[in-house]
Amino acid sequence: MKIHISSKKQIIQVLMLFVVPLVVFLGVYNFYTVRAMNDRIAESGRSTVYLYQTSLEKDLGDIDIFMANLVAGDANYQQLRYRMDPMEAHLCAKEITDRYQELITTKQIIGGMFLFLDQNELYRERYGGSYSYEQKTALEQYLRELTRSEPTVGKDWFVHRVGEIPFLLRVLGSNGAYSICAVDLNRLSKPQDTADYENGVLFYADGEGEILTARDWAAEIGVDPATHARDPYYLTRGPQEYLAVQSFSEAAGIWFVYLLPYKGILNHLDFIQILLLAVSVFILVLIPISYYLLKRLFFTPMEQLVKTMNAIKSGDLEAKMDSDYRIVEFKQVSDTFNEMMGEIKELKISAYEKELELQQAQLQYLQIQIRPHFFLNCLKNLYALAQERQFGQIQQMILALSDYLRCLFRDNMKLVPLADELRNVCNYMRLQRMSASSPPVCEVEAEEGLADFRIPPLSLLTFVENSVKHASLPGEELRITIRAIRLETEEERYVNLSVTDNGSGFPPDRLEELNSAGQVAYSEQCVGIMNVKHRFALLYQGKCVFSFRNLQKGSSIEIFIPDEEERK
């Protein structure tokens, strides 16, 4: 089965065959370019981190060697592990602290060296920096508790914070004799110590990712080493954007985090790369502009053409296409289409006029069928009166008949007011009262405001005449009731005309035929009724509804006519 697709979708699909691959290519290329630039910047940062990390790990290795030699091979330290004379213990401790001082002088990162000797109740320290009394007291108290519990003795370097000062601690010793080194992380050399602050910032975090140096500033720019532990680099989301490179030192047990101010990718691209990036942005901007132009020049005219055709399909022959188009082909199609619709309209008017002529001929033929039927009845009645020599009644009947014929011989091709039709019925009933020995009784109930409602002539009269002719029962007075009321539904308003009698009713087979939707065969008894139905069908285009039914005694005929403002 062939699949149909609109021209709009077809054009867009063709354009997408070229645009999408190009946009994807440029997007991938730009992504690769940005990624390559970031990798290059990150590689520079990693080199800086490597330099400072290697320097710290070398210093820590030197300190480890010094402390290991001291604990394992220094004679003074070995003697101090046992109880000895206070003076000799003091001299041995001084020898050790002098070596401490030499190491502190060599390694500027050391904040302090500490010696704890429980056997000789000695505590000695050497500080490599200026610390307050409270800081020294807090550090000493922590170290005393640490050597008593011995949880970290002999293990790697670990972090402990004293106030705002983070220390890397190393504890060696046993049996109450301990040598401790405290490296002050604030004393480590950093890029911001020797260069412009804008060129990069290095700070440290413990193994859990908690910031150790520059804590407030790092928290403000959104640094999180633990979350990005596996990332080669990442961008911060603070007030100023930074590219963060970090590395974990197994020897020190801390993170080295290096931040480079991220000034945007354009500052790191060459001319060709910037040009390609600008072309990519330009193409992306051209996509909605191109769609707008396509919509204005092609899609909108096509949509208007389809809309105009749908309007014409719905019956609006006045609909025309706009011919003010910039595309020559659309203007030609529009002009040709409008000319074609003008010719179609003229042909349709001509065909409609011929159809009206045919309908008028059919109506005239139906009217002619009714007139002889009624005239014969009147002549029979006059003949009966003449036989009885009732010349006065004949005169009155001729006057009544002349009034009736005056209405009858008007232009019956047009609709007449309901009041005129009811007046015609009254004339007919006068004729019946003059000629019949048991004349029928007719009652009229018309809703106020329906006097000018227009209906086909001789319509109600035909049903009244049919009741008089076929519904009368011997020995009973025939009563005929005519009602005219308005009915209103949610969708439309109708005028309901009904003719009811108390006669014999319709034969069942004839009743079924009268209520059928198809054509009903003519018969001698129903020629008038079929004429009325035919005329209503022609005049109201099938919108009028007839209902025939038998009552408990008699019959009822109802007509439902659309209530329009004016019908000529």
Side-chain angles (χ1 to χ4, degrees), residues 258-288:
Y258 185 51
L259 299 181
L260 292 168
Y262 194 75
K263 300 178 181 179
I265 193 64
L266 295 179
N267 293 324
H268 304 282
L269 298 178
D270 56 28
F271 174 76
I272 299 299
Q273 291 171 329
I274 293 176
L275 180 61
L276 288 174
L277 182 60
V279 170
S280 302
V281 175
F282 179 71
I283 291 176
L284 291 177
V285 173
L286 280 181
I287 291 177

Side-chain angles (χ1 to χ4, degrees), residues 15 24 98 102 120 125 179 266 283 288 424 428 476 496:
L15 290 177
V24 171
D98 288 343
E102 293 176 2
N120 295 286
E125 77 280 341
S179 177
L266 295 179
I283 291 176
N424 218 11
Y428 173 77
E476 291 190 19
N496 175 230

Side-chain angles (χ1 to χ4, degrees), residues 161-453:
R161 176 180 294 279
V162 178
E164 292 299 321
I165 302 177
F167 289 101
L168 271 178
L169 300 178
R170 185 75 163 96
V171 181
L172 286 179
S174 61
N175 299 326
Y178 299 100
S179 177
I180 304 174
C181 178
V183 175
D184 188 346
L185 295 180
N186 288 334
R187 295 170 64 86
L188 301 181
S189 59
K190 297 179 285 295
Q192 57 266 32
D193 294 338
T194 57
D196 186 6
Y197 183 78
E198 294 296 325
N199 290 334
V201 180
L202 178 67
F203 60 92
Y204 309 95
D206 62 17
E208 301 299 327
E210 182 180 354
I211 307 301
L212 299 175
T213 59
R215 300 176 68 187
D216 295 339
W217 179 79
E220 180 181 352
I221 65 173
V223 178
D224 189 359
T227 302
H228 300 279
R230 298 182 179 275
D231 297 335
Y233 61 85
Y234 58 93
L235 296 176
T236 64
R237 293 293 182 265
Q240 180 179 351
E241 200 170 31
Y242 287 86
L243 188 144
V245 179
Q246 58 190 34
S247 176
F248 184 73
S249 172
E250 296 290 344
I254 60 174
W255 286 97
F256 285 71
V257 183
Y258 185 51
L259 299 181
L260 292 168
Y262 194 75
K263 300 178 181 179
I265 193 64
L266 295 179
N267 293 324
H268 304 282
L269 298 178
D270 56 28
F271 174 76
I272 299 299
Q273 291 171 329
I274 293 176
L275 180 61
L276 288 174
L277 182 60
V279 170
S280 302
V281 175
F282 179 71
I283 291 176
L284 291 177
V285 173
L286 280 181
I287 291 177
I289 296 177
S290 301
Y291 178 78
Y292 169 76
L293 293 176
L294 283 173
K295 179 178 175 62
R296 180 180 177 183
L297 298 177
F298 291 95
F299 299 156
T300 300
M302 287 189 289
E303 290 174 355
Q304 289 181 350
L305 177 60
V306 174
K307 183 179 180 181
T308 303
M309 289 182 176
N310 288 330
I312 294 172
K313 180 181 177 182
S314 301
D316 184 11
L317 297 180
E318 300 297 331
K320 291 186 178 181
M321 282 195 64
D322 187 4
S323 59
D324 186 17
Y325 296 122
R326 297 184 63 183
I327 304 298
V328 175
E329 288 76 9
F330 278 117
K331 189 176 187 316
Q332 292 175 347
V333 169
S334 176
D335 294 340
T336 304
F337 183 84
N338 290 336
E339 292 175 2
M340 179 183 68
M341 286 308 304
E343 295 179 2
I344 291 175
K345 184 178 179 182
E346 292 180 1
L347 293 174
K348 189 174 181 66
I349 291 174
S350 177
Y352 183 71
E353 290 175 349
K354 291 182 179 180
E355 183 180 356
L356 287 179
E357 292 176 358
L358 178 61
Q359 288 183 358
Q360 290 177 356
Q362 291 177 337
L363 286 173
Q364 187 173 9
Y365 169 72
L366 294 173
Q367 290 287 100
I368 292 172
Q369 281 187 312
I370 292 178
R371 288 169 185 168
H373 183 70
F374 179 71
F375 295 158
L376 289 175
N377 288 338
C378 291
L379 290 176
K380 288 180 182 179
N381 290 334
L382 287 173
Y383 179 77
L385 290 174
Q387 282 185 330
E388 297 178 4
R389 298 182 180 277
Q390 297 182 10
F391 302 111
Q393 290 187 11
I394 291 175
Q395 291 176 343
Q396 294 179 7
M397 187 173 181
I398 291 175
L399 291 176
L401 182 59
S402 65
D403 291 338
Y404 173 76
L405 292 177
R406 187 177 295 111
C407 295
L408 187 64
F409 289 133
R410 291 184 309 177
D411 186 3
N412 290 321
M413 302 305 298
K414 296 184 179 180
L415 301 179
V416 298
L418 177 62
D420 290 355
E421 179 68 9
L422 293 177
R423 190 178 303 112
N424 218 11
V425 171
C426 291
N427 285 334
Y428 173 77
M429 295 307 296
R430 285 178 58 198
L431 292 173
Q432 290 295 325
R433 284 195 297 272
M434 293 177 184
S435 60
S437 58
S438 179
V441 177
C442 183
E443 298 179 359
V444 177
E445 299 177 8
E447 185 176 308
E448 185 178 356
L450 289 178
D452 294 329
F453 183 75

Side-chain angles (χ1 to χ4, degrees), residues 7 11 48 81 89 99 206 238 242 264 284 301 370 390 405 413 424 445-446 456 462-463 476 482 488 525 531 561:
S7 58
I11 294 174
T48 302
R81 296 177 62 184
R99 294 187 61 184
D206 62 17
Y242 287 86
L284 291 177
I370 292 178
Q390 297 182 10
L405 292 177
M413 302 305 298
N424 218 11
E445 299 177 8
T462 300
F463 296 125
E476 291 190 19
I482 300 175
E488 187 171 353
Q525 291 80 12
N531 281 332
I561 307 172

Side-chain angles (χ1 to χ4, degrees), residues 25-38 277:
F25 169 75
L26 293 175
V28 172
Y29 174 79
N30 291 328
F31 175 79
Y32 172 78
T33 301
V34 172
R35 185 77 180 210
M37 291 300 99
N38 288 341
L277 182 60

Side-chain angles (χ1 to χ4, degrees), residues 55-72:
S55 176
L56 174 62
E57 290 177 349
K58 182 179 182 304
D59 288 340
L60 295 181
D62 293 342
I63 295 172
D64 279 339
I65 293 173
F66 171 83
M67 294 179 66
N69 291 334
L70 177 68
V71 173

